[in-house]
């Protein structure tokens, strides 16, 4: 199926993407000593003295002054100027004002390499209206509902633009996105996750979602009955005439639309109060082309009246007719038979629009044909795919001719594998970072702590969702106790979420030592509290240090995202690629999607 003639929005050129990457990499390299530091070692390694020259209160004041409402002045915007934020010899941060301005300067929005979601949707959809249907906030939390609604609309638009009906959801997890794409947009979705418990849970959740979907249908049936009964009571004289007229319209519409594969019943549904119905289409290419090309009155009706057979109960016509005491029984029987026949065909057609949860561990070398036996032209999606999975999704997309488009939102950057993080050489391994040739040639390495910093949520902190300074302080002081009293510098065990279960610092230390399997009996309460008193006046240092890492976090994320975009720009078979901000970053901090479409001739 050929693509529409609509042009996609302007995309950053390979040169522009590479130039932005080099600029960000230059600044982040100067800041790496700061963001590679781990707050657990804040006191044991003297991180403030090693990395920051100004006093903590001066740092916090400068960061507040460079808040979200401040802007980078034209004279201040210079790559060389921002390098002066750090001392050349000691590598310490010396100018917090420049540091904060640089963090804004190297944001995706300021670099000019981010494409607006509205522009992408407008180009993909043209004048066509999106499908209406039930909203997922009734069975998902606010964050997940927001993500699923926004991303599913985009995925459906890309699928329609590329003329495909099959979607592969990589790292599908609990199946929220997959289920919604299947039920709301009639797409055939394969959700692949490495966890069998997630797959089993997705099966059960999908069953519940279908039940939820049927509840809408049941409510629609009741609305239909109540509406028609009211009309019958209000207009008893006209009921027989109306019934005959409607039956004739139904019969005519059923006859004319049987060949088109879509049922549109305007007069029946316009007064039924349905506001959440999805389009039902057959899955044959000829019918799809016919439906797209026609400009008849029926195809201009709102989405609320489309797919009536998928929503209208099987006995709706019978109930409607009996409530009106129609005399045209023969006509009515014909309508019922016609409707039943079309409904059966529609259900058989929609059987292809299903969601299949599968369990498999995906790597860059994965052969999708081994997992999906009926693989056809499709697109790959990933909503918060962890670590290397996001990078592998892009590699599979570029390598497999069947995959025509990709829409990937990554997360968990700390789980990325880095080619140059360890000195050991593994020539055969495929790494999550870097992907593009420029960073590979430079031997670029962020380090795990820096990648962990990239997961911090600046926008949430900006709206008052402050960092858990007290819990970080507890953990940093605990590390001092562990090293000084027990002589332990590294351990395979973790404290975990002990802070939330603790009533005081004393209780926190006792619980933590037990989790670390260290004998706390030789440590009296007074000794524990002495450590607390020794360091409590330095809590503001820890707060300021972590705020610096939060401000820097978007720059590290930009580096990772631009690495992925530049990798796509290096491929020859890509027609369009870009970075698109999908979500509200306060609701969903990992809000950027890497999107790409292949050249139409690729096969």
């Amino acid at each position: 199926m050929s693509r529409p003639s609509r042009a996609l929005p302007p995309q950053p050129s390979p040169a522009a993407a590479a130039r932005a990457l080099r600029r960000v990499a230059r600044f982040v390299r100067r800041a790496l000593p700061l963001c590679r530091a781990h707050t657990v070692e804040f006191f044991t390694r003297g991180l403030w003295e090693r990395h920051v020259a100004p006093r903590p209160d001066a740092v916090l004041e400068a960061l507040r002054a460079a808040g979200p409402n401040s802007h980078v002045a034209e004279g201040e915007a210079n790559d060389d100027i921002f390098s002066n934020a750090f001392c050349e010899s000691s590598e310490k941060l010396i100018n917090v004002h420049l540091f904060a301005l640089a963090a804004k300067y190297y944001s995706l929005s300021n670099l000019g390499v981010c494409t607006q979601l509205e522009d992408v949707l407008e180009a993909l959809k043209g004048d066509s209206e999106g499908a209406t249907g039930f909203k997922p906030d009734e069975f998902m939390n606010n964050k997940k509902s927001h993500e699923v609604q926004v991303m599913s609309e985009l995925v459906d638009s890309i699928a329609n633009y590329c003329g495909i009906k099959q979607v592969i959801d990589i790292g599908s997890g609990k199946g929220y996105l997959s289920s919604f794409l299947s039920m709301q947009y009639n797409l055939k979705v394969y959700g692949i996750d490495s966890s069998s418990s997630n797959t089993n849970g997705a099966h059960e959740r999908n069953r519940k979602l279908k039940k939820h979907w049927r509840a809408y249908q049941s409510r629609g049936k009741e609305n239909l009955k109540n509406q028609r009964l009211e009309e019958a009571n209000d207009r008893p004289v006209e009921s027989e005439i109306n019934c005959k007229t409607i039956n004739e319209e139904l019969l005519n519409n059923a006859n004319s639309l049987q060949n088109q594969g879509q049922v549109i019943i305007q007069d029946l549904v316009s007064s039924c109060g349905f506001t959440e119905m999805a389009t039902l289409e057959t899955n044959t290419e000829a019918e799809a082309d016919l439906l797209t090309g026609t400009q008849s009155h029926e195809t201009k009706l709102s989405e609320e009246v489309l797919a009536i057979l998928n929503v209208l109960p099987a006995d709706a016509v019978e109930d409607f007719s009996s409530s009106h005491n129609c005399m045209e029984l023969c006509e009515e029987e014909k309508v019922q038979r016609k409707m039943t026949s079309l409904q059966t065909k529609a259900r058989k057609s929609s059987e292809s629009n299903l969601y299949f949860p599968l369990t498999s561990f995906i790597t860059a070398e994965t052969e999708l044909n081994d997992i999906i036996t009926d693989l056809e032209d499709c697109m790959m999606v990933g909503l918060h795919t962890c670590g290397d999975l996001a990078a592998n999704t892009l590699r599979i997309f570029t390598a497999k001719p069947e995959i025509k488009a990709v829409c990937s939102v990554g997360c968990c950057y700390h789980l990325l594998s880095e080619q140059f993080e360890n000195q050991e050489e593994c020539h055969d391994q495929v790494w999550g970072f870097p992907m593009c040739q420029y960073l590979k040639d430079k031997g670029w390495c962020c380090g795990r702590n820096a990648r962990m910093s990239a997961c911090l949520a600046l926008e949430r902190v900006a709206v008052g969702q402050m960092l858990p300074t007290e819990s970080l302080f507890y953990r940093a002081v605990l590390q001092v106790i562990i090293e000084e009293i027990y002589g332990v510098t590294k351990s395979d065990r973790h404290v975990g979420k002990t802070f939330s279960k603790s009533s005081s610092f004393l209780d926190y230390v006792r619980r933590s030592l037990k989790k670390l399997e260290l004998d706390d009996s030789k440590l009296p309460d007074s000794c524990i509290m002495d450590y607390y008193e020794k360091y409590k006046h330095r809590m503001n240092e820890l707060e300021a240090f972590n705020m610096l890492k939060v401000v820097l976090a978007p720059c590290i994320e930009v580096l990772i995202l631009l690495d992925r975009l530049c990798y796509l720009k290096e491929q020859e078979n890509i027609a369009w690629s870009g970075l698109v901000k999908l979500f509200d970053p306060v609701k969903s901090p990992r809000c950027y999607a890497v999107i790409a479409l292949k050249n139409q001739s690729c096969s």
Side-chain angles (χ1 to χ4, degrees), residues 21-31 79-80 83 444:
L21 176 66
R22 289 194 296 270
R23 292 170 59 200
V24 173
R26 179 185 177 187
F27 173 71
V28 172
R29 189 178 287 283
R30 298 298 305 272
D79 294 328
D80 293 328
S83 295
W444 236 94

Side-chain angles (χ1 to χ4, degrees), residues 175-201:
Y176 289 118
L177 177 63
S178 296
S179 296
F180 199 73
L181 285 170
S182 174
M183 286 188 290
Q184 176 76 351
Y185 293 102
N186 293 323
L187 293 168
K188 184 175 184 178
V189 184
Y190 286 95
I192 305 176
D193 196 88
S194 62
S195 169
S196 58
S197 61
N198 275 345
T199 303
N200 294 334

